[in-house]
């Protein structure tokens, strides 16, 4: 189903609030969310090569914009790389772009997908929901800001294990319902 850009953003914000922030999956996400410093961009690109162009454009936008205005960007791409294996392969292309275009050391790209699956997990394992989002998306992160956040966190190495425990304690069915509810956000008739 195709939605408006506003609906895709509302669904993403719902997920961010009800999964990432509520369960503190990324302790560094609260500050830019509360400060309105997250840029949400929806692309209608349906092919990976066009998505790569969109990614480069957004990296340039982030580079040209002070962190006080835009700390991070979520590039939402509902029409491209809907298959997780294709998406996962595309991440190698993203990494190559970061190196080739001189973004390495300045930005990182984190990955989120509705069918995200970590290595050595089963598709329905609850821990996969740490990176499952309503739509495929790329999260553009400023490395300098990440380094500052990591330096001020008491135990950054414990975050992944704590996230796995949190997700497993709530169970896959809970997370599936939360994502399902978020997909209803912004779709109400006007």
């Amino acid at each position: 189903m195709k939605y408006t850009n506003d609906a895709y953003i509302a669904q993403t914000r719902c997920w961010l609030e009800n999964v990432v922030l509520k369960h503190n999956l990324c302790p560094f996400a609260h500050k830019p969310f509360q400060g309105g410093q997250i840029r949400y961009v929806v692309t209608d690109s349906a092919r990976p090569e066009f998505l790569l162009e969109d990614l480069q454009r957004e990296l340039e936008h982030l580079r040209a914009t002070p962190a006080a205005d835009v700390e991070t960007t979520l590039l939402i791409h509902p029409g491209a790389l809907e298959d997780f294996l294709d998406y996962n392969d595309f991440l190698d292309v993203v990494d190559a772009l970061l190196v080739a275009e001189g973004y390495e050391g300045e930005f990182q790209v984190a990955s989120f997908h509705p069918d995200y699956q970590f290595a050595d997990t089963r598709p329905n394992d609850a821990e996969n929901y740490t990176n499952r989002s309503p739509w495929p998306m790329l999260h553009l992160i400023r490395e300098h800001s990440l380094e500052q956040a990591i330096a001020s966190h008491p135990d950054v190495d414990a975050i992944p294990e704590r996230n796995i425990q949190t997700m497993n304690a709530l169970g896959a069915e809970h997370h599936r319902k939360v994502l399902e509810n978020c997909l209803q956000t912004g779709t109400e008739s006007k």
Side-chain angles (χ1 to χ4, degrees):
M1 176 176 261
K2 184 145 173 66
Y3 298 107
T4 66
N5 286 357
D6 287 345
Y8 288 122
I9 291 169
Q11 293 161 357
T12 299
R13 285 182 61 93
C14 175
W15 162 77
L16 191 57
E17 291 179 69
N18 291 290
V19 178
V20 177
L21 298 174
K22 181 177 182 177
H23 300 298
N24 204 30
L25 298 180
C26 178
F28 318 128
H30 294 275
K31 185 178 175 188
F33 181 80
Q34 292 165 348
Q37 298 164 289
I38 300 174
R39 177 174 161 90
Y40 301 88
V41 177
V42 179
T43 175
D44 61 358
S45 291
R47 295 178 44 182
E49 58 270 27
F50 299 138
L51 176 59
L52 198 63
E53 291 173 7
D54 293 333
L55 172 61
Q56 186 162 5
R57 200 168 18 263
E58 286 306 315
L59 287 165
E60 284 301 319
H61 182 274
L62 202 55
R63 179 181 270 170
T65 306
D69 296 334
V70 177
E71 178 63 48
T72 190
T73 299
L74 290 174
L75 179 56
I76 307 158
H77 49 96
L81 302 170
E82 295 172 86
D83 177 85
F84 177 68
L85 295 178
D86 292 340
Y87 173 85
N88 201 41
D89 289 343
F90 181 74
L91 296 175
D92 291 332
V93 177
V94 169
D95 289 340
L97 173 79
L98 293 175
V99 172
E101 298 299 327
Y103 299 115
E104 188 179 40
E106 185 177 3
F107 300 110
Q108 287 182 22
V109 177
S111 53
F112 298 95
H113 192 279
D115 298 318
Y116 204 99
Q117 184 178 348
F118 289 103
D120 301 321
T121 64
R122 294 181 308 262
N124 294 324
D125 286 351
E127 65 194 72
N128 291 317
Y129 282 88
T130 62
N131 285 60
R132 285 200 178 163
S133 55
W135 302 104
M137 69 181 77
L138 300 170
H139 178 198
L140 287 55
I141 305 166
R142 296 176 189 268
E143 284 210 11
H144 179 73
S145 299
L146 183 60
E147 289 165 2
Q148 288 180 323
I150 288 170
S152 68
H153 193 277
D155 190 5
V156 73
D157 294 331
I159 294 171
E161 187 57 37
R162 188 196 62 76
N163 288 349
I164 290 170
Q165 290 172 359
T166 299
M167 296 292 104
N168 286 338
L170 292 167
E173 183 60 19
H174 166 82
H175 301 299
R176 188 191 62 70
K177 286 180 181 175
V178 170
L179 276 180
E180 189 176 284
N181 287 339
C182 285
L183 286 170
Q184 300 307 309
T185 304
T187 63
E188 301 82 16
S189 297
K190 296 187 179 180

